[in-house]
Amino acid sequence: MTPAQRKLWLHFKLYSLALIRFFPIQLFFLHLRRSWLFLGFWILLFGMTGGFFFQRLGIPYLFITPEYLEEVNPLSYFIVGLVLGLFTMAFHITSYIFYSHKFPFLATLSRPLYRFSFNNSIIPLSFFAFYVYQIVKELSLESWEWMWILSNVGGLLAGVITSVSITFSWFFSTLKPKVLEKIGDRLDKTLRLVIVEEKSERKLDFEVHHRVVTYLKNFMAVRWARDTSHYPKSDLLHTLQAHNSNASIFMIIVAAIMVGMGYFADSKVLMIPAAASIVIMMTFYLLIVGALYSRFKSWTAFVLVVATLGLNYISGLPQFEKRHAAFGLDYDTEPARYTIAALEELSSQEQYDADFEATLNVLENWKRRTGEDKPKLVIVNSSGGGLRSSLWSLAVLQELDSTIGAEFWKHCFMVTGSSGGMVGTAYFREIQGDVSKRESFQRMGRDLLNPVGFSLVSNDLFWSMKRFEDAGSQYSYDRGWALEQKLHENTDRVFPDRWRDYAEAEFNADIPWMVLSPTVINEGRRLLISNIGVSYLTRNRNDFRMNHAWEIDGVEFYPFFKNQRGDSLRTMSALRLSATFPYITPLTSMPSEPEMEVIDAGARDNNGFELSFRMVYEFREWIAENTSGIVFVQLLANEPPSEEIAGSPYRTRLDDLVKPIGGVVNSFANLQGYSASELLHLSDEWLEFPVDIVPFQLMSVTDEEIALSWHLTEREKAQIYENSESQRIDIRVGEVKSLLHR
């Protein structure tokens, strides 16, 4: 080897060593090896902002297009940036608690936490670069001007910088007010219980594989690391732990923010974007991990598992159990008996006859309203699917109304369905003919998810700071109440207070009869919320000997909760019960014994066809004699079933574990479709009148499916609106118009 080659080789070794021993690289690989708890938080953030996680729920768009006071602007991005700055600092602080003892050279630097944070920024900077890319891509697709896009990105980065700067100022300020100094001195011993100081000098790591050659002094300067072998170990340890008390205060401040959010849950100004609420929750949990590690070290993961199981057990105890109510009902009186005997009593032959006769009267009223001898009886089936279903149902009904006129709604006798579809249809029923299609679409399309996310963090994860009164009872704020209030506000408060307020108009057939049917998760029965008695829809009577528990497949709400103030059920609560999407809105507990819990109506019958078809069967003789047939108008906001058979080119061992359950979940819509097809096939033996089904199917114009969420982007809302005015929908509207005159 020539001298020149030897020199080149030495330079290569030197720079390679410097790179390998570069502090940011050392920290990055240390996180990869040992920080799976930390990385889990970052992976979650990457997944949510990139659309890898919760895409169908629309969670990514809460980050990409955050709303504050119903606006997406630099201020909304600034707030998200502030909270992301707090999360970044929590990551730095917790990482410092975990790993600072492995790098004693930090104690030789001024402001060791500050220097550590600079060098610990590979993951945060990668995330912010990725996040900004996702924002720019989405806003470009929505045709935003570049100056406005840059303003929003600037707002985000300004929020991050502001939050990080304020936090560093707190940690390193030597000019703190004397009051804070006195409080700090008095609480110092208490704060040490939050983040415990390490007493053993043996924890300092002087091993070769953790030695650092170079580090970042700031983002523009690289420095050589000092040797620490000649420093007293006690001094090094003391210096490294100088910020523990401030770290404890930081954690307490974050906790106080979460609790304070609950107290101001009804303040619009303080209702931050849902993405910010999610990040605050993650920040708090990340700090808890750091505090636990300071005490339990390598036992931290085990302690977290045990603590989670313990808290879960405690949360189920009567004094700590958190229940979500249907507002208006009385939870203080004796609960309703939820037994087969009680259900049999409510669905007796006597009750069946009374309800059957009452519904015949409603049918006669409906027929008189049409003014025809044998009118077509229209039934609307509105499928679930969050805000996309609400907008689709509303837009199609507005299209039918504007083209056919009041004649269409006059012929509509019954409305069934689930989730957002019933919300949109209920809104149309209120405003029919009074509000333009564009204006009503804009109202219905306003965000509903921000207050839900805010309430989840501020109230539902811990305890509710505020209560309110309704119908003589006290209830806690929760995300169910937040959704109801926001929906009521978005629709300009056109709905009456109580669902029972519709009883007279529905009985007189002044408006179509609407039946809500949330699913009881205890055993899968329907909870039928109807102002007209429907005991004939709660029981499958037959002459075969079968288990009575299977024969009774529904619970009629008003008779069942008669003594629990069922008549006071709020309209918004009734709609929410039918639209209880898992996790986003809470499972609602009903005042019964054993306790009944209900979930989205779509869990059993997503578009309500099965329920409405049972009504047709029960009144088939009257329909055959008094109408010219049935027209089912189906408002379907889900993608139509593909004609291609699903499959994968290979199957892994993980697939073997996931597919038995995942396959059923993925086939959920098809299973309901098969059931509806089977009902129609079997109906050939008793149908003595024409039945027509006119589907109005929402079709995606891009490869991306519109989110199943209570928050949609402007691009998604525009896609729904344009679909409703397409030639394909005009053809379907023409079919309905011709059927009404056939």
Side-chain angles (χ1 to χ4, degrees), residues 361-424:
N361 290 333
V362 178
L363 283 165
E364 292 291 347
N365 292 337
W366 166 82
K367 182 182 176 182
R368 279 195 296 272
R369 189 185 66 161
T370 65
E372 301 176 18
D373 291 334
K374 299 194 82 173
K376 284 284 188 181
L377 190 149
V378 175
I379 296 176
V380 172
N381 299 144
S382 190
S383 76
L387 197 55
R388 77 179 183 200
S389 296
S390 300
L391 290 175
W392 180 243
S393 295
L394 174 63
V396 172
L397 288 172
Q398 289 277 35
E399 199 67 22
L400 286 163
D401 184 66
S402 63
T403 303
I404 302 176
E407 186 180 4
F408 166 74
W409 204 234
K410 187 190 298 182
H411 281 78
C412 183
F413 173 71
M414 185 182 195
V415 177
T416 59
S418 70
S419 193
M422 291 298 274
V423 173

Side-chain angles (χ1 to χ4, degrees), residues 100-129:
S100 60
H101 66 278
K102 292 185 175 296
F103 305 99
F105 85 95
L106 288 168
T108 68
L109 308 177
S110 62
R111 301 177 176 178
L113 175 60
Y114 179 74
R115 307 299 177 199
F116 179 92
S117 299
F118 268 108
N119 290 271
N120 193 44
S121 295
I122 288 180
I123 296 175
L125 288 177
S126 300
F127 166 74
F128 285 115

Side-chain angles (χ1 to χ4, degrees), residues 227-272:
D227 179 37
T228 58
S229 59
H230 60 287
Y231 286 90
K233 292 183 178 181
S234 59
D235 291 349
L236 294 173
L237 190 62
H238 175 74
T239 302
L240 290 174
Q241 297 183 136
H243 298 300
N244 280 18
S245 293
N246 281 343
S248 301
I249 293 174
F250 182 78
M251 179 177 175
I252 292 170
I253 289 173
V254 172
I257 290 173
M258 294 182 68
V259 173
M261 286 166 58
Y263 185 77
F264 297 104
D266 55 351
S267 171
K268 291 184 181 180
V269 175
L270 296 178
M271 189 173 292
I272 60 177

Side-chain angles (χ1 to χ4, degrees), residues 318-496:
Q319 57 269 42
F320 296 106
E321 191 174 4
K322 190 176 183 66
R323 289 182 172 87
H324 300 279
F327 306 120
L329 296 186
D330 187 353
Y331 287 79
D332 298 321
T333 191
E334 182 180 353
R337 291 186 305 111
Y338 187 27
T339 62
I340 298 301
L343 297 182
E344 285 186 322
E345 183 179 341
L346 292 176
S347 59
S348 64
Q349 187 62 48
E350 181 181 358
Q351 187 62 48
Y352 173 95
D353 294 339
D355 290 344
F356 190 88
E357 187 64 29
T359 307
L360 283 177
N361 290 333
V362 178
L363 283 165
E364 292 291 347
N365 292 337
W366 166 82
K367 182 182 176 182
R368 279 195 296 272
R369 189 185 66 161
T370 65
E372 301 176 18
D373 291 334
K374 299 194 82 173
K376 284 284 188 181
L377 190 149
V378 175
I379 296 176
V380 172
N381 299 144
S382 190
S383 76
L387 197 55
R388 77 179 183 200
S389 296
S390 300
L391 290 175
W392 180 243
S393 295
L394 174 63
V396 172
L397 288 172
Q398 289 277 35
E399 199 67 22
L400 286 163
D401 184 66
S402 63
T403 303
I404 302 176
E407 186 180 4
F408 166 74
W409 204 234
K410 187 190 298 182
H411 281 78
C412 183
F413 173 71
M414 185 182 195
V415 177
T416 59
S418 70
S419 193
M422 291 298 274
V423 173
T425 306
Y427 181 49
F428 176 79
R429 188 172 72 161
E430 284 293 332
I431 64 166
Q432 189 260 336
D434 296 333
V435 183
S436 69
K437 178 181 178 181
R438 175 67 71 176
E439 184 180 350
S440 62
F441 191 88
Q442 289 175 343
R443 291 179 186 176
M444 189 79 260
R446 294 169 184 165
D447 171 75
L448 288 169
L449 198 53
N450 261 335
V452 173
F454 184 86
S455 184
L456 172 65
V457 175
S458 61
N459 288 306
D460 292 5
L461 288 181
F462 297 98
W463 58 88
S464 299
M465 296 292 293
K466 299 191 72 173
R467 295 176 68 82
F468 66 94
E469 182 178 344
D470 184 72
S473 292
Q474 291 284 325
Y475 304 95
S476 296
Y477 271 66
D478 63 8
R479 60 191 189 278
W481 175 251
L483 178 74
E484 291 183 25
Q485 291 299 99
K486 185 60 174 165
L487 176 60
H488 207 25
E489 177 188 329
N490 287 358
T491 52
D492 290 348
R493 303 186 180 277
V494 297
F495 291 101

Side-chain angles (χ1 to χ4, degrees), residues 20-21 26-27 29-30 33-34 102-103 205-212:
I20 294 171
R21 299 300 184 193
Q26 287 269 300
L27 283 173
F29 283 106
L30 185 61
R33 290 199 310 270
R34 302 189 56 178
K102 292 185 175 296
F103 305 99
D205 193 342
F206 293 95
E207 296 180 18
V208 175
H209 65 277
H210 282 145
R211 285 184 185 168
V212 171

Side-chain angles (χ1 to χ4, degrees), residues 1 40 192 271 291 368 423 553 558 564 607 668 689 706 713:
M1 183 179 293
R192 290 174 187 171
M271 189 173 292
R368 279 195 296 272
V423 173
D553 70 338
Y558 285 115
Q564 288 71 38
N607 61 19
F668 190 67
F689 44 84
I706 299 172
T713 65

